[in-house]
Amino acid sequence: MTSVSPPADRRTASMIRVDQAGEYGATRIYAGQLAVMGDRHPMAREIAHMAEQEERHRKFFDAMITRRGVRPTALQPVWDVAGFALGAVTAAMGPRAAMACTAAVETEIDRHYQMQLFELGDSDPELSDAVAEFRAEELEHKKAAVAAGAESAPAYPLLSLAIRAGCRAAIALSKRI
């Protein structure tokens, strides 16, 4: 039997909504990359592994949304299309650009999860434990992306800046909508 958690307060509900939306978006980015690269590309195995972890993160937050009665973001259809498009476009630019996308996204996710952990303190152990665990995996993704040549992607500084700005905007919008 699944236990039902008490309803989330506004602050925690916002965190859970954003985290679920972000993990959903990440699954769509990797789906877009794999759709372009196919399963025979040398990076496909690494991307598929990252995608599996993101899917596990998303499922955790899906369950938490249900248990705690949190309204998911109304922007999920947008993140579905935008995430897939971002993954497909960066993969079409080449494997280093795909990895630059991962490095940029994970940089913002690390920043976001760090702020959440600070804000949560010890007030919600279930959420903070998951965020800490997922943050460690996101940092592994960033490290793998850098090792795979992310920083040598064409126009890396501009590409990274644009993707990071998009991530920050997505986080801000998902908190409210």
Side-chain angles (χ1 to χ4, degrees):
M1 184 168 145
T2 304
S3 65
V4 176
S5 303
D9 64 31
R10 281 180 86 143
R11 177 184 62 117
T12 304
S14 176
M15 288 180 185
I16 295 167
R17 180 174 26 266
V18 169
D19 292 349
Q20 188 279 339
E23 297 297 351
Y24 178 76
T27 65
R28 299 304 297 149
I29 290 169
Y30 289 128
Q33 290 178 344
L34 290 170
V36 170
M37 291 181 153
D39 61 358
R40 288 183 265 198
H41 191 279
M43 287 305 303
R45 188 174 185 191
E46 182 72 28
I47 292 170
H49 172 69
M50 292 178 197
E52 288 169 6
Q53 288 181 318
E54 301 295 358
E55 182 65 20
R56 185 173 49 80
H57 301 172
R58 184 200 55 80
K59 285 180 179 179
F60 173 86
F61 287 117
D62 283 352
M64 187 173 268
I65 277 177
T66 300
R67 279 194 326 274
R68 296 197 185 186
V70 174
R71 176 189 58 78
T73 180
L75 296 171
Q76 189 144 328
V78 174
W79 303 154
D80 180 17
V81 174
F84 189 90
L86 178 59
V89 166
T90 56
M93 293 170 63
R96 291 178 298 164
M99 291 297 98
C101 176
T102 295
V105 169
E106 300 302 12
T107 296
E108 288 306 313
I109 297 307
D110 174 44
R111 183 175 157 269
H112 169 73
Y113 277 162
Q114 276 184 318
M115 290 185 333
Q116 274 192 353
L117 288 169
F118 179 77
E119 191 174 340
L120 282 168
D122 59 2
S123 68
D124 190 332
E126 180 189 23
L127 181 56
S128 59
D129 289 351
V131 167
E133 176 187 339
F134 299 164
R135 178 178 173 250
E137 291 177 356
E138 307 294 3
L139 288 171
E140 289 173 13
H141 299 173
K142 179 181 175 183
K143 184 177 178 181
V146 170
E151 294 171 337
S152 63
Y156 173 75
L158 181 59
L159 182 62
S160 179
L161 183 68
I163 292 169
R164 290 181 64 190
C167 289
R168 287 190 300 272
I171 289 167
L173 287 170
S174 292
K175 285 180 182 180
R176 292 167 181 77
I177 299 174

